[in-house]
Amino acid sequence: MDRLLSLEFSGGMEKILILGGTGKTGRRIVRRLKAAGQPVRTASRTSGDTPFDLDDPTTWARAIDGVAAVYVVEPNLRAGVDRQARMPRFMAEAVAAGVRRLVLLSAHGVGHADDSHPLKAAEQAVRGCGIDWTILRPDWFSQNFSESSWLPGILEGTLSLPTGDGRTPFVDAEDIAEVATASLTEDRHSGQIYQLTGPRAISFGEAADLISKATGRTIRHLDVAPEDFVERWVADGVPADVARLLTNLLVAVRDGRGSAVSDGVERALGRPARRFEDYVAETAAAGHWN
């Protein structure tokens, strides 16, 4: 049986730090850790137990004091950030403070991306940190349809995205959180890179149809030109470089470069990944699309 982290370090007094602890994956990890009786600390710029900003090293020491493991999230995808210095410096300071395990939320495709990808430096820093580490590379979150930028389109009845008929294996954020929780608390995940997807790839049109059936409302997917999509996001206040990055990721789905199904959830948890249909049924029943 895997030893729990709380049993490995000084009688279980050290905390597990969750960066972005109120975010889509972070709050789900916190819920699981607290249910298991693990001491947890959340940190972010605007909420959580401790103020924390990766752009402000003066906030780091307090956040990592007495911490044995950290769930790491890179919140800033904008160009111009010194990624070769910021994340490696944070990792080094965490290790010096006594952290013994890092779990990084990365993204699908980072392993094949060039060094310009905003998460590549974070992965390199984690792998070179000298302590236990795990990297999570999830595909598009199912919860983007109910908790993120795609929700307004679902509520309005038209989801406009530059994805065409491309298919992708949406992964449930609950699965990501469960894998992260296991990686933070169990030895056997050390040195693992988990590609996290759902059990099958579907198109955005299929996703809209499934949500339509579950809600009794008409919801359709409308394919849009990538350049129009970028312009719309920029007009809504999204930085141009971020808008282009996210648009390119969606265009990759359109081009058939995001349809591969991985077994990361099953390798980590010993069970199949959750189906998109199950996510839809549960979310509709909870009234999130009313």
Side-chain angles (χ1 to χ4, degrees), residues 172-233:
D172 198 302
E174 296 290 351
D175 281 350
I176 301 169
E178 190 167 339
V179 174
T181 301
S183 299
L184 287 163
T185 58
E186 298 172 3
D187 288 340
R188 67 188 180 90
H189 305 285
S190 179
Q192 295 293 318
I193 299 176
Y194 290 123
Q195 309 283 347
L196 303 178
T197 74
R200 72 182 183 97
I202 64 173
S203 69
F204 281 80
E206 290 177 87
D209 288 343
L210 288 167
I211 297 172
S212 293
K213 292 175 183 177
T215 59
R217 297 171 44 235
T218 299
I219 301 165
R220 66 188 184 113
H221 167 244
L222 177 66
D223 186 38
V224 296
E227 55 271 21
D228 294 340
F229 191 72
V230 171
E231 289 180 6
R232 190 182 77 191
W233 271 29

Side-chain angles (χ1 to χ4, degrees), residues 33 77 92 94 121 179 187 266 285:
L33 290 170
L77 300 181
V179 174
D187 288 340
E266 189 156 10

Side-chain angles (χ1 to χ4, degrees), residues 31-32 40 67 83 88 103 112 118 121 127 133 135 151 156 161 172 180 192 208 221 251 260 265 268 270 276 282:
R31 184 180 73 231
R32 284 170 167 78
V40 184
V67 165
R83 304 189 191 282
V103 176
H112 303 294
R127 296 179 71 170
W133 58 267
I135 293 174
L151 176 58
E156 293 167 4
L161 296 169
D172 198 302
Q192 295 293 318
H221 167 244
V251 171
V265 172
F276 187 79
E282 182 177 296

Side-chain angles (χ1 to χ4, degrees), residues 5 17 20 29 59 61 92 104 113 128 131-132 137 152 160 166 197 217 240:
L5 187 70
L17 173 65
I29 298 168
T59 66
L104 173 69
I131 60 174
D132 289 350
R137 292 176 180 163
S160 302
T197 74
R217 297 171 44 235

Side-chain angles (χ1 to χ4, degrees), residues 29-51:
I29 298 168
V30 169
R31 184 180 73 231
R32 284 170 167 78
L33 290 170
K34 287 184 175 179
Q38 295 280 1
V40 184
R41 176 183 298 157
T42 59
S44 70
R45 286 187 298 175
T46 58
S47 59
D49 304 322
T50 305

Side-chain angles (χ1 to χ4, degrees), residues 14-75:
E14 289 90 350
K15 294 180 181 295
I16 299 175
L17 173 65
I18 309 299
L19 301 185
T22 58
K24 199 172 296 173
T25 59
R27 72 176 187 273
R28 290 174 163 88
I29 298 168
V30 169
R31 184 180 73 231
R32 284 170 167 78
L33 290 170
K34 287 184 175 179
Q38 295 280 1
V40 184
R41 176 183 298 157
T42 59
S44 70
R45 286 187 298 175
T46 58
S47 59
D49 304 322
T50 305
F52 178 86
D53 186 347
L54 271 173
D55 292 324
D56 182 3
T58 65
T59 66
W60 298 354
R62 180 181 174 188
I64 59 181
D65 180 46
V67 165
V70 183
Y71 179 67
V72 183
V73 178
E74 169 58 86

